[in-house]
Amino acid sequence: MAYENDTPTRIFIECLCMIYNVLKELSVSMYRFFVSSPRKCISGEVVLITGSGGAIGRALSLRFSKLGATLVLWDINEKKNEETASLIKQQGGSCYSYTLDIGLPEEVSKAAQRVRQEVGEVDVLVNNAAVVTGRPLLECPDEMIERTFSVNLLAQFYTVKCFLPAMMKRHHGHVVNIASSVGLVGLRHLADYSASKAGVVGFSEVLNLEVKFSGVTGVHTTTVCPSFVKTSLFQGCEMRFPCILPALDVDACADRILDAVLTNQVIVCIPRIVYFFCVMKTILPVNVMCSISKFFGAIDFMDNFVHGDNGNDQAVPNRSVTSNPVNTS
């Protein structure tokens, strides 16, 4: 038994240590609410971003490149991915683009091996790719549900298992998992998407615990939960009161994500009002939250959703991984 050697004295001392750590971390958190943590330098590091052909993926790629990082771009849409690579090249950055389906573990494994051979070990992994079905549960085909979970959730398991071991061995690295506010507070007609993003939140929480208590230092995790971002992923959707919960600007969202990564923030909700809704969901009766959601238009959010290319990912036939190195450094 793990606790067979517990004694009253030992338990008392550990209790005092726990109280000290709780008070210390609360104090640091309150201080950091007003004063930002110092930013770390990522110049010369390798940053891999999935869904790099999409709006947020592209914005993050350009920002990391400006800071001197070498970008590894993963996307299923070769054309959009090459557009991102071209923009990085125009600003004098260094990048390598790969076309693959991250929902397939064998393709992820092959691409990861090529990245190690052609670029080197990954220092920062940004799991950003996602798909949206946007249909009521009973109208959603099984293959679309499976696709949503493969890309939104399981792909993050695949990439983390590929790149985390080297990070832990070197005591240096950062895993960034893009979840969503609907992974914290669900929305109608987003059963598969909300469930997959809730899975990302849970996965990221446990991942942080495993890294934190592994004895490894220098490896960090960040979970990002943005609300509605103005991209083609949710084209046609709108909130009833945008003055209270506005659609997020892509650039502003990317800036906030970048800041969270550079300051090693464990979890970030964008905008801050998402934290408030999470607390309300926890303490209020279910029917009360339903009434609040209806009033704010969350129930009708997906009514005008435009189906089609969702911006980050789309299903294509299985094929081998291809790469296009664009190194301008």
Side-chain angles (χ1 to χ4, degrees):
M1 294 292 292
Y3 305 111
E4 61 183 4
N5 295 323
D6 276 351
T7 63
T9 301
R10 180 177 177 179
I11 293 174
F12 177 72
I13 293 174
E14 288 189 7
C15 182
L16 291 180
C17 292
M18 179 198 67
I19 294 173
Y20 168 77
N21 288 328
V22 168
L23 294 176
K24 182 185 72 173
E25 293 301 328
L26 284 174
S27 300
V28 171
S29 296
M30 288 187 288
Y31 175 74
R32 290 304 179 195
F33 183 82
F34 300 100
V35 180
S36 298
S37 301
R39 289 187 162 202
K40 63 184 179 183
C41 177
I42 61 167
S43 178
E45 300 200 344
V46 177
V47 178
L48 188 154
I49 300 180
T50 67
S52 49
I56 294 180
R58 178 172 297 173
L60 287 173
S61 298
L62 292 171
R63 281 159 174 75
F64 278 112
S65 178
K66 285 183 178 179
L67 294 176
T70 297
L71 271 296
V72 176
L73 310 176
W74 279 15
D75 203 292
I76 200 170
N77 191 315
E78 184 174 3
K79 180 181 178 181
K80 289 185 176 181
N81 209 27
E82 290 306 314
E83 289 174 356
T84 300
S86 179
L87 292 172
I88 292 174
K89 179 179 178 181
Q90 290 175 20
Q91 67 180 25
S94 173
C95 69
Y96 297 76
S97 60
Y98 296 79
T99 304
L100 70 151
D101 184 347
I102 64 167
L104 300 175
E106 61 272 17
E107 289 204 18
V108 172
S109 179
K110 290 178 182 178
Q113 185 61 32
R114 295 190 65 174
V115 169
R116 295 189 192 97
Q117 294 173 352
E118 300 172 6
V119 189
E121 294 293 353
V122 170
D123 298 296
V124 180
L125 169 64
V126 182
N127 285 309
N128 166 71
V131 293
V132 176
T133 303
R135 298 181 181 182
L137 175 61
L138 299 182
E139 297 177 12
C140 189
D142 291 346
E143 59 269 19
M144 295 184 73
I145 295 175
E146 292 176 359
R147 180 64 179 165
T148 299
F149 277 86
S150 293
V151 175
N152 296 8
L153 176 59
L154 295 181
Q156 299 199 10
F157 281 79
Y158 306 151
T159 58
V160 169
K161 290 186 69 177
C162 283
F163 298 112
L164 182 61
M167 293 182 184
M168 298 183 72
K169 184 177 180 180
R170 295 180 294 128
H171 288 257
H172 179 77
H174 201 134
V175 177
V176 184
N177 292 334
I178 307 297
S180 171
S181 62
V182 299
L184 301 171
V185 181
L187 287 183
R188 177 171 164 261
H189 293 180
L190 283 175
D192 55 342
Y193 185 80
S194 292
S196 67
K197 291 300 186 179
V200 172
V201 173
F203 167 56
S204 301
E205 182 178 347
V206 175
L207 177 64
N208 179 64
L209 290 174
E210 291 193 2
V211 171
K212 188 177 183 65
F213 292 99
S214 66
V216 172
T217 59
V219 178
H220 306 277
T221 68
T222 296
T223 309
V224 184
C225 297
S227 63
F228 169 41
V229 185
K230 289 185 290 187
T231 69
S232 57
L233 199 65
F234 286 99
Q235 187 174 350
C237 301
E238 59 181 358
M239 296 297 292
R240 184 180 184 183
F241 301 114
C243 57
I244 299 177
L245 192 61
L248 299 176
D249 176 73
V250 172
D251 289 329
C253 185
D255 287 338
R256 185 67 188 89
I257 295 172
L258 180 65
D259 182 70
V261 175
L262 296 181
T263 56
N264 296 327
Q265 189 170 342
V266 177
I267 184 168
V268 55
C269 294
I270 313 171
R272 287 184 180 274
I273 195 173
V274 174
Y275 295 108
F276 175 69
F277 282 121
C278 291
V279 173
M280 290 179 62
K281 175 187 175 181
T282 303
I283 64 177
L284 294 178
V286 173
N287 288 337
V288 173
M289 278 302 297
C290 288
S291 296
I292 293 174
S293 297
K294 182 178 180 180
F295 174 76
F296 280 98
I299 300 300
D300 307 317
F301 175 72
M302 294 293 294
D303 285 358
N304 297 319
F305 174 68
V306 178
H307 296 275
D309 178 12
N310 53 39
N312 277 25
D313 190 283
Q314 53 185 332
V316 298
N318 189 10
R319 71 276 177 267
S320 60
V321 177
T322 61
S323 66
N324 300 286
V326 181
N327 195 331
T328 61
S329 60

